[in-house]
Amino acid sequence: MIEKYIHWLKSIGDAIHLGGGTSLAFAETLATLSLAVASVLLYFLVRFVVKKTVYKIIQLSTNKYDDLLIKNKVISRLCLLFPSLLLGALLSKSLPDFPETTALLMKTNNIFQIFIVTLVASAIVTTIEDTYNTFDMSKQKPITGLIQVIKIVLYLVCGIVVIAYLMGTKISSILLSLGTISAVIMLIFQDTIKGFVGGIQLSSNDMLRIGDWIVMGPADGTVLEIKLTTVKVQNWDNTITTIPTYSLVSNPFTNWRGMSESGGRRIARTINIDVNTIRYCTPEMIERYKHYSLIKDYLAQKEEDILEYNKANRIDTSEILNGRQQTNLGVFRAYIKAYINNNPKLNHNLTMMVRQMQPSEFGVPLQIYAFSNDKQWVNYEEIQSDIFDHIISAAPMFDLKIYQKH
């Protein structure tokens, strides 16, 4: 059919007096252009048929994974092979009298096929990643870095195959030549190589997962992506910070995952008591403190213990320094401890204490150490604020003042 078509075109050329050689070139050129147009039309025809059949079947199926073939253009890229195969099969027949031009066009078509196969392979790899990301394991062991390395290798192999094909040499010879410039390649791709190694270390040691809250330099937020060379963090003010992957291996960073997976979020905050307000409790002060229900039983028991101790040791209590006595700071500590022990928003299975720390020029620090049940940031801050609102307000009830620099 092609020969008859060329003969018909040549007869048209002869009819308009183009001459023998020119008429032949005219006929074969038009035949080649017609073949190119037919290839383009074949592509659109195949796309149309695929959309009306394969796409419909995929969209109607209950399997969500085959939808990824459409999303990542695996099928649409495969459609590009049909016109290329048509050109490869018929190109030599449309230009039989121009072998050099035919060879050049065939080489171009073959290189196009190599690129299409590479693009299809890349789309399949992306589909594998998307499928993997549908599983919960992907948050613990992200493979984005590995997928990026595979894609880089695919494109490198594609480039090497094309170069070897154009030069008419073996791929092994190209690889040997690349070995001599490996130092240059290492220099160009040093960030990629470092990122790949860093990504492997992060994944194998379970140092970082998507969704982790990390703090590193200006980055303070949730990990969005772990790629080959970078880790993307969305900060709490919704800004985005990008960190080189290898920096997370070579430099220290804080990962709050342990807190997120534990039974509570730690509260460790201090208030400073003015030392000038700390004193021994008088009987009147004790009686007044007994009206506070949280420490009523504590004061009664403590008073009994002190009385027995002083009596057993025959201590003269006419002087307040003799024997054991209660202080308003000690009673206040007991009150805070009773208050947090009765707080339903704290986790009572984890450490809870009120401790006095090293006095300084700012007074005597009292630290409240506990864990909130709710680990959500906003709720956690509400719980912590409510606790310290109460404690600061309660201090004057125990004849104490919170230190405040004037």
Side-chain angles (χ1 to χ4, degrees), residues 94-319:
S94 65
L95 282 171
D97 296 302
F98 299 92
E100 292 183 359
T101 304
T102 302
L104 178 62
L105 292 176
M106 286 293 290
K107 273 193 173 183
T108 303
N109 186 60
N110 291 338
I111 291 171
F112 178 73
Q113 288 183 7
I114 294 170
F115 278 119
I116 293 304
V117 170
T118 304
L119 288 174
V120 171
S122 177
I124 291 172
V125 170
T126 303
T127 303
I128 292 171
E129 180 189 12
D130 289 346
T131 303
Y132 177 78
N133 287 339
T134 61
F135 298 99
D136 294 336
M137 190 195 313
S138 63
K139 294 182 179 179
Q140 300 178 13
K141 301 287 184 180
I143 60 170
T144 303
L146 178 61
I147 293 297
Q148 289 179 324
V149 169
I150 292 173
K151 287 183 178 180
I152 290 172
V153 171
L154 280 174
Y155 291 122
L156 284 175
V157 170
C158 174
I160 292 170
V161 170
V162 169
I163 292 170
Y165 177 68
L166 290 173
M167 294 177 63
T169 184
K170 294 181 179 180
I171 295 176
S172 57
S173 301
I174 301 296
L175 292 175
L176 287 173
S177 300
L178 289 174
T180 60
I181 58 170
S182 58
V184 178
I185 294 174
M186 291 282 287
L187 183 62
I188 295 172
F189 294 103
Q190 61 175 329
D191 287 342
T192 303
I193 295 168
K194 285 181 180 178
F196 177 59
V197 174
I200 291 174
Q201 288 181 293
L202 288 175
S203 179
S204 60
N205 295 321
D206 199 18
M207 297 168 64
L208 195 66
R209 301 176 189 170
I210 294 173
D212 282 357
W213 169 17
I214 68 168
V215 178
M216 182 181 184
D220 184 1
T222 305
V223 177
L224 293 181
E225 294 179 350
I226 303 174
K227 293 189 174 181
L228 178 61
T229 56
T230 58
V231 172
K232 188 183 291 184
V233 178
Q234 183 174 27
N235 300 312
W236 299 121
D237 58 0
N238 287 329
T239 58
I240 302 294
T241 301
T242 303
I243 307 171
T245 306
Y246 61 83
S247 294
L248 291 164
V249 177
S250 57
N251 298 306
F253 70 95
T254 301
N255 190 330
W256 290 84
R257 188 201 311 155
M259 178 275 297
S260 300
E261 293 177 348
S262 69
R265 185 167 178 177
R266 190 184 70 169
I267 296 172
R269 184 181 289 184
T270 60
I271 56 170
N272 293 312
I273 304 297
D274 189 337
V275 293
N276 295 314
T277 61
I278 301 172
R279 60 176 63 91
Y280 286 116
C281 292
T282 63
E284 293 77 17
M285 292 168 66
I286 294 294
E287 288 302 317
R288 180 157 46 89
Y289 296 160
K290 284 182 180 179
H291 289 90
Y292 308 147
S293 59
L294 285 178
I295 54 169
K296 181 180 180 181
D297 294 338
Y298 165 81
L299 287 173
Q301 183 63 47
K302 195 73 173 178
E303 208 172 13
E304 185 179 334
D305 292 344
I306 290 173
L307 185 62
E308 289 181 1
Y309 176 85
N310 290 338
K311 187 176 181 180
N313 290 278
R314 298 179 180 179
I315 295 173
D316 179 12
T317 56
S318 60
E319 290 292 338

